[in-house]
Amino acid sequence: MPNNNFTFEISLSILNHLGRNLYRNFITVLGEAISNSWDADAENVWIYIDRGDNSFVIKDDGDGMTSDDFQNKFLKVGYSKRKSGGMLSPNKRPYIGAKGIGKLALLSCAEKVSVISKTDETDYMGGVIDNSGLTEAIEHDLTPDKYPLGGIDVAIFEEYISDHKTGTVIYFDQIKEDIKNTVPHLKKLIALYFRFSLVDPSFNIFVNEEPVSLDDLKYLSDKTQFLWNINGLDDPYISTLSALRSDPINITNKLNIKGFIATVEKPRYLKISGAEEKVGIDLFVNGRLRERDILKNLPDFSTRHIASYLYGQIHFDELDSDGKDRFGTSREGIIPGDEKYKELIETLKNEILNDLSQKWDELRLEIGEDGDIEIATKERKARSLFNLSSKDYLIEGNSKVDTWVKELRPDAEFNIPAYVDCFLSENLVRKYIPDKSVELTPRATNEIKAYKEKEEERKNDANISFDISQSGDLSYLGMDTLSHMIEGEEKRNEASLSRDAVEYKPMRNAVGHTALLTQVAKERLSLVYENIKSRIKILLS
């Protein structure tokens, strides 16, 4: 059989399938250009936005490209520096680019993209990618060799290259969707999602000559209350959190991750002004944003109350250290089912977020704010109620009253549920007695008469003529007399509701009169009430 030397032939339509039409988010396009500049060992990236002309320019001072580089690397879809240069750039930066298709993002947002580049040994060269012409070539099913790039109009670059020694300049003309983002908004997004602009002093990003810096995140740092540092992340952003209400909490975990998770005062502070998106817990790999808001992969947790207060960064470089391709075509998101990623999600779920939630609830309640409303312990609910009520007594500028209120909080956590327990137990017995036609004893009759006389005197002193209690004569009786009516005198000397009620009475009266109990009294009251509660449940059953 003759050998006809068959070869593959690629249609330009592959550009659409690989990503030319997948990149619709403006910040994603910026990200691809910034990533290319990082990989090219640039020290500075300048972004110039012209909203009036609906265009923008990205310029860097990296190594630049020769004509051969431009043809065989930049324009070669699928070319990756990692294949020829390993995982690090000449200046030892970890390469962000992996697949060699991220450059297609640059084709997605403008009708015309002009690229020029120069090295320290060559002058400018480049070409123009005209999307209307490219679309026509794709419709005619042309192969790449039949679609030459257009020539450069040097005039459009004049104001950007006067002091440009090496690097690349890309001009995006006729943006498909108007540039709606303001410069401050873009700086916020870049500061959030391109960590190298903040943590590496050798890499700087400017938007219309304004540097992207930690100051662009001040709106967020000023509203951050608590922070958990995972495995000792060293990040300058953490040092700017001057509004923290406690020291950062260190988390040590066996998984080789680093990061931080923080909480804000109110969920609204995670909303990025001027955008529909909000800040979340994002996944970074080798400094590159790989997945936004990874809590969406924890449906049981993402719907919890606390999730609306959380933001942060998780850095897991092992996802890009073994040569395995784990990232989707859009370069944001992990391919479903990856075992390493599943291990990360399980670690967050079972070893980090649950403990963090409990601690956050405690910290919030300590500073007088609502915590996790889904935690339903009596003490936690009592503290929440106390915090809500105590705000009515705080006086601005009076630290003494603020201190007094804080000192009362622990006792309130005990007394409030203790009173509710007392209220329930005694009123349930008051309902049980008429239901079972239990008659008043002489002791009960005498107590009722004595309390009524006292009440009448106090009502007269207060000029009150209306009834105070709605539950009749039994409302004047405490648990000791109520239980005596049910069980009789003989039960007072054996294990019974009557005997427990005798011990319960003085501590119950102290709680009812808003006294602050000693620790011994608290422990004893809790123990006695557990007995009373059990006996009442038996009685009612």
Side-chain angles (χ1 to χ4, degrees):
M1 181 179 295
N3 184 352
N4 293 317
N5 296 319
F6 295 111
T7 61
F8 280 106
E9 184 171 315
I10 302 296
S11 168
L12 283 172
S13 63
I14 194 68
L15 300 181
N16 286 344
H17 299 308
L18 288 177
R20 178 171 172 253
N21 294 325
L22 292 179
Y23 296 84
R24 293 301 182 194
N25 189 308
F26 185 56
I27 195 66
T28 301
V29 176
L30 289 181
E32 292 300 337
I34 292 170
S35 298
N36 288 343
S37 299
W38 170 267
D39 287 350
D41 279 331
E43 293 184 2
N44 300 285
V45 178
W46 296 270
I47 301 169
Y48 299 96
I49 306 293
D50 188 339
R51 298 174 70 191
D53 193 40
N54 206 33
S55 65
F56 70 97
V57 172
I58 296 179
K59 163 186 165 183
D60 71 43
D61 58 0
D63 295 334
M65 293 181 286
T66 65
S67 295
D68 182 69
D69 293 333
F70 186 59
Q71 177 61 59
N72 297 310
K73 294 180 181 178
F74 184 83
L75 293 176
K76 184 177 181 181
V77 178
Y79 170 80
S80 173
K81 290 182 178 180
R82 297 185 183 191
K83 295 178 181 178
S84 57
M87 299 293 290
L88 301 176
S89 73
N91 285 348
K92 306 303 180 185
R93 288 177 175 173
Y95 280 135
I96 294 177
K99 298 177 184 292
I101 62 174
K103 67 198 71 174
L104 297 179
L106 306 180
L107 308 180
S108 68
C109 66
E111 290 299 330
K112 188 180 293 185
V113 181
S114 303
V115 183
I116 63 171
S117 190
K118 66 182 295 189
T119 70
D120 54 6
E121 297 179 353
T122 62
D123 202 356
Y124 287 110
M125 60 81 234
V128 177
I129 303 165
D130 188 327
N131 264 310
S132 59
L134 182 56
T135 298
E136 185 177 347
I138 290 173
E139 289 175 352
H140 287 82
D141 201 25
L142 298 183
T143 55
D145 60 311
K146 296 177 182 178
Y147 174 73
L149 268 61
I152 287 293
D153 178 7
V154 179
I156 65 174
F157 290 102
E158 285 182 355
E159 64 180 294
Y160 306 108
I161 61 177
S162 59
D163 58 349
H164 192 224
K165 296 179 180 180
T166 65
T168 301
V169 187
I170 308 177
Y171 186 95
F172 298 83
D173 190 21
Q174 302 174 56
I175 308 303
K176 293 180 180 179
E177 293 186 11
D178 292 344
I179 301 175
K180 301 175 182 178
N181 305 129
T182 63
V183 169
H185 175 64
L186 286 174
K187 289 174 65 185
K188 287 178 184 178
L189 293 177
I190 292 170
L192 280 170
Y193 298 136
F194 302 100
R195 183 171 176 264
F196 289 131
S197 65
L198 303 181
V199 303
D200 194 312
S202 71
F203 191 68
N204 306 290
I205 302 176
F206 303 85
V207 181
N208 286 9
E209 300 294 348
E210 296 180 15
V212 175
S213 70
L214 290 169
D215 290 340
D216 294 304
L217 298 180
K218 186 172 175 57
Y219 79 100
L220 184 60
S221 62
D222 284 351
K223 299 300 182 181
T224 300
Q225 287 187 320
F226 307 108
L227 179 132
W228 287 259
N229 189 310
I230 303 171
N231 288 335
L233 175 69
D234 183 15
D235 191 315
Y237 174 72
I238 295 175
S239 65
T240 70
L241 300 177
S242 58
L244 287 180
R245 302 297 297 271
S246 74
D247 292 335
I249 301 162
N250 295 316
I251 296 176
T252 301
N253 189 269
K254 63 183 179 181
L255 192 62
N256 191 22
I257 59 175
K258 289 193 175 184
F260 72 87
I261 297 176
T263 61
V264 290
E265 293 177 20
K266 303 289 183 184
R268 66 175 180 269
Y269 297 128
L270 294 181
K271 183 81 165 57
I272 300 175
S273 59
E276 295 182 358
E277 57 191 311
K278 74 179 190 68
V279 186
I281 299 178
D282 301 318
L283 173 64
F284 289 75
V285 181
N286 284 328
R288 174 71 162 88
L289 176 67
R290 287 300 189 180
E291 188 163 12
R292 292 184 188 176
D293 192 18
I294 59 177
L295 288 186
K296 64 179 179 291
N297 293 316
L298 289 166
D300 291 342
F301 189 88
S302 62
T303 56
R304 287 182 54 180
H305 178 67
I306 183 178
S308 61
Y309 290 79
L310 297 175
Y311 77 95
Q313 296 181 355
I314 302 296
H315 297 269
F316 193 21
D317 294 346
E318 284 189 6
L319 288 175
D320 193 24
S321 63
D322 56 5
K324 183 177 179 180
D325 183 6
R326 295 182 167 86
F327 308 109
T329 304
S330 67
R331 299 196 58 195
E332 287 186 9
I334 312 299
I335 293 175
D338 180 75
E339 290 300 321
K340 269 191 177 297
Y341 185 67
K342 286 168 62 177
E343 184 181 11
L344 170 64
I345 294 299
E346 288 300 312
T347 297
L348 287 173
K349 176 183 176 181
N350 299 323
E351 301 178 25
I352 294 178
L353 290 174
N354 284 338
D355 291 343
L356 183 153
S357 300
Q358 293 288 338
K359 186 63 177 177
W360 177 74
D361 183 64
E362 295 173 11
L363 292 170
R364 287 275 292 187
L365 293 174
E366 284 177 8
I367 63 171
E369 299 281 355
D370 283 340
D372 193 343
I373 59 176
E374 294 168 347
I375 297 177
T377 65
K378 289 191 291 186
E379 291 75 17
R380 187 244 169 270
K381 293 294 184 183
R383 183 182 290 194
S384 183
L385 176 60
F386 175 84
N387 287 340
L388 189 63
S389 297
S390 64
K391 291 178 181 179
D392 296 335
Y393 295 90
L394 297 178
I395 303 171
E396 187 174 354
N398 192 324
S399 59
K400 182 183 290 186
V401 173
D402 186 52
T403 300
W404 288 347
V405 169
K406 289 180 180 178
E407 289 174 350
L408 290 172
R409 184 179 294 122
D411 289 284
E413 288 179 35
F414 179 87
N415 281 34
I416 292 172
Y419 172 78
V420 173
D421 287 340
C422 171
F423 173 87
L424 281 172
S425 61
E426 294 187 10
N427 277 292
L428 284 171
V429 172
R430 289 180 185 125
K431 288 183 176 296
Y432 172 85
I433 286 174
D435 183 70
K436 297 299 182 181
S437 301
V438 177
E439 295 184 359
L440 291 175
T441 62
R443 170 184 165 178
T445 302
N446 292 334
E447 282 191 19
I448 292 170
K449 179 182 177 182
Y451 275 111
K452 277 187 173 181
E453 290 174 355
K454 288 182 182 180
E455 182 183 62
E456 197 63 32
E457 291 176 7
R458 290 167 180 163
K459 285 171 61 178
N460 289 334
D461 291 341
N463 197 27
I464 292 175
S465 59
F466 52 81
D467 291 335
I468 295 175
S469 173
Q470 63 169 297
S471 53
D473 289 349
L474 293 179
S475 65
Y476 297 99
L477 304 178
M479 181 62 80
D480 57 333
T481 304
L482 293 170
S483 60
H484 178 262
M485 287 175 57
I486 297 169
E487 297 180 337
E489 187 67 32
E490 65 277 4
K491 289 287 187 180
R492 293 173 64 88
N493 296 318
E494 58 183 83
S496 64
L497 178 61
S498 297
R499 195 173 75 174
D500 289 330
V502 171
E503 186 176 2
Y504 181 55
K505 184 175 182 178
M507 293 179 287
R508 172 263 196 205
N509 289 347
V511 169
H513 288 89
T514 68
L516 307 183
L517 272 63
T518 65
Q519 186 59 36
V520 174
K522 288 179 181 178
E523 293 171 359
R524 191 61 188 174
L525 179 58
S526 298
L527 179 62
V528 173
Y529 183 72
E530 284 303 312
N531 286 339
I532 288 176
K533 183 166 61 176
S534 297
R535 297 189 195 284
I536 289 177
K537 288 170 70 175
I538 294 172
L539 184 70
L540 297 178
S541 64

